[in-house]
Amino acid sequence: MDFSHDPKLNSIAAKVEAGARLSFEDGLTLYATDDLAALAKLADSVRRRLHGRRTYFNVNRHFNYTNVCYADCKFCGFYRTPRMPDAYTHNVEEAVGVAGKAVAEGATELHIVGGLNTKLPFKYYTDLLASLKRAYPRLHLKAFTMVELDHMAGFYKMSDEDVIGQLKEAGMDSCPGGGAEIFREPTRSRICAHKTDAARWLALAGKVHAAGLKTNATMLYGHIESVADRVDHFIRLREQQDASGGFQCFIPLAFYPEGTKLSECPGPSGVDSLKTIAVSRLMLDNFAHIKAYWVMLGKRLAQVALHYGANDLDGTITEGGELTESYSVESNNEVRMNKNEIAALIEDAGFEAVERDTLYRPVEEMTAA
Ligand code: V47
């Protein structure tokens, strides 16, 4: 590939073509280019090498068991302190009810996350998983971020292995990628001072992988972080993936400022989001999947992101959980898309829609109705 418009991209293009690893400086160069078409072409070449025209989605439901949290992250509009009138914690029966509805609607996955709530005993988590598994043995439980696992180990004075082992035994099938935010200091401390630090987040992911479970990884972008913070984030994830190999998917999360302590930040532009998808595809050479999370990007931009290296649109999210709705760029009724709508969105972009389970096994080959 020859990029006359931005000659700086030529050496990077040669590396991409040869399947060679990109450096930190390459990441900065990619972000700095104004040649979006070239960026798309490069990222799309990798995406097509890995997946051809296949674009994945799943049918899932988010369940947020509690919004009570002590972490006080500046970017979060979801958490409540225990005395606030709209603080909640769902019991096991409510969780099973939500799962039942999800299964009836064809969900193969329940995405379970919540705040760091010191009122809950460890047994709450194992009971939650075990009851869900008992009721719906085939429903994949993608549960608890590295931040929740870290909280459990610290608060209940358990070893990491014990926490992971007991949750796995109770029914945890994999872990979502939240809580990664931005790894690099001082940015991390500025946005989430009381949260699991980068080294710990990565080490815990390694331990979950060692226990035989897959996890995802995210990055929250478009707030106070720098481009260098983002590239550093990709490199740390890439190194952890070299070491433990269990990340399935990377999900860049576009910051939604409303209702947060960072509400003066405008959030990322469309161009910035497309660049972030493309640069992550190019830097994360050992990640199989890049997800354009349509709930945050909006349907239209997510569709375009499929041409910038993304090969997954996440789920139909059959009834957005409170977390999703609280910072979705879509209006509440728009956070639902049925299978046909999501497949049509993918196929309209020129790709082949494949419904997957959480582990990227095709559930059903689909053609848009
Ligand atoms: O860690 C919080 C982010 C994450 C805001 O693994 C915000 O498949 C934007 O991790 N604006 C939780 N983002 C969600 C998450 C996720 C979502 C979808 C799929 C998967 C997966 C994981 O949401 C948090 C944080 O980074 N977040 N507040 C906000 N105002």
Side-chain angles (χ1 to χ4, degrees):
M1 281 186 263
D2 184 44
F3 294 100
S4 50
H5 179 58
D6 186 350
K8 286 206 212 82
L9 293 187
N10 286 335
S11 66
I12 297 178
K15 282 193 192 176
V16 170
E17 224 164 339
R21 183 156 276 196
L22 301 186
S23 67
F24 181 80
E25 286 68 32
D26 292 334
L28 296 181
T29 304
L30 288 167
Y31 260 118
T33 190
D34 59 1
D35 194 345
L36 269 186
L39 206 50
K41 197 167 176 190
L42 276 178
D44 190 55
S45 72
V46 175
R47 179 255 203 258
R48 282 181 198 262
R49 191 158 71 211
L50 292 171
H51 307 290
R53 289 175 60 248
R54 289 163 83 83
T55 296
Y56 295 97
F57 70 95
N58 72 346
V59 182
N60 66 350
R61 169 86 65 109
H62 285 212
F63 176 66
N64 307 118
Y65 55 90
T66 183
N67 64 352
V68 173
C69 190
Y70 61 76
D72 189 27
C73 300
K74 304 297 173 238
F75 52 78
C76 181
F78 163 71
Y79 81 93
R80 299 289 181 268
T81 55
R83 285 162 194 267
M84 286 177 162
D86 50 352
Y88 70 77
T89 299
H90 291 305
N91 61 31
V92 166
E93 290 68 39
E94 287 167 322
V96 172
V98 168
K101 270 171 122 186
V103 168
E105 289 171 10
T108 59
E109 168 191 294
L110 192 63
H111 175 139
I112 306 169
V113 289
L116 309 180
N117 184 342
T118 54
K119 290 281 185 292
L120 302 174
F122 184 68
K123 198 170 170 298
Y124 171 87
Y125 303 100
T126 47
D127 280 352
L128 183 71
L129 292 166
S131 306
L132 288 166
K133 255 310 168 227
R134 211 174 305 120
Y136 303 104
R138 289 160 56 106
L139 185 65
H140 182 110
L141 303 179
K142 184 175 79 176
F144 312 128
T145 65
M146 299 310 105
V147 174
E148 287 157 283
L149 300 186
D150 180 38
H151 160 72
M152 292 179 207
F155 190 71
Y156 307 111
K157 301 193 172 24
M158 292 166 69
S159 72
D160 298 338
E161 287 71 15
D162 224 16
V163 169
I164 296 163
Q166 289 197 38
L167 294 175
K168 184 179 172 191
E169 175 77 26
M172 180 173 80
D173 293 308
S174 69
C175 297
E181 321 311 357
I182 285 287
F183 288 140
R184 201 183 193 205
E185 294 294 355
T187 305
R188 189 172 186 84
S189 291
R190 288 194 184 132
I191 58 171
C192 51
H194 311 296
K195 201 170 208 166
T196 314
D197 69 19
R200 178 87 177 119
W201 190 99
L202 291 161
L204 267 168
K207 289 184 181 186
V208 176
H209 299 166
L213 300 185
K214 301 289 187 193
T215 72
N216 289 337
T218 57
M219 176 180 78
L220 182 68
Y221 69 98
H223 43 89
I224 62 161
E225 87 289 0
S226 66
V227 162
D229 286 342
R230 298 180 191 178
V231 178
D232 171 85
H233 196 90
F234 300 146
I235 288 177
R236 290 196 212 202
L237 285 175
R238 191 169 76 182
E239 284 170 358
Q240 184 59 48
Q241 180 76 324
D242 278 344
S244 56
F247 291 118
Q248 295 206 100
C249 169
F250 175 69
I251 310 134
L253 293 168
F255 176 55
Y256 182 70
E258 214 175 289
T260 75
K261 291 179 179 158
L262 297 175
S263 57
E264 74 283 4
C265 297
S269 69
V271 166
D272 195 14
S273 287
L274 292 176
K275 278 188 172 179
T276 299
I277 294 273
V279 180
S280 67
R281 177 60 287 166
L282 292 165
M283 294 298 296
L284 294 173
D285 54 25
N286 52 7
F287 275 62
H289 307 285
I290 304 290
K291 190 185 282 184
Y293 188 42
W294 68 267
V295 174
M296 301 306 303
L297 290 176
K299 292 174 191 169
R300 289 162 189 83
L301 195 60
Q303 194 182 33
V304 179
L306 299 179
H307 288 277
Y308 281 75
N311 65 290
D312 188 345
L313 277 190
D314 197 76
T316 51
I317 319 196
T318 43
E319 185 180 285
E322 295 82 351
L323 182 64
T324 305
E325 286 179 5
S326 72
Y327 56 72
S328 161
V329 293
E330 305 281 0
S331 68
N332 284 355
N333 56 2
E334 261 202 300
V335 297
R336 298 153 182 255
M337 269 207 283
N338 68 30
K339 272 182 174 196
N340 282 339
E341 285 170 316
I342 207 163
L345 203 71
I346 290 169
E347 298 197 353
D348 184 51
F351 294 95
E352 177 197 349
V354 179
E355 185 188 341
R356 62 164 175 87
D357 66 8
T358 311
L359 303 174
Y360 286 85
R361 295 172 300 207
V363 171
E364 186 188 344
E365 301 284 341
M366 288 207 50
T367 312

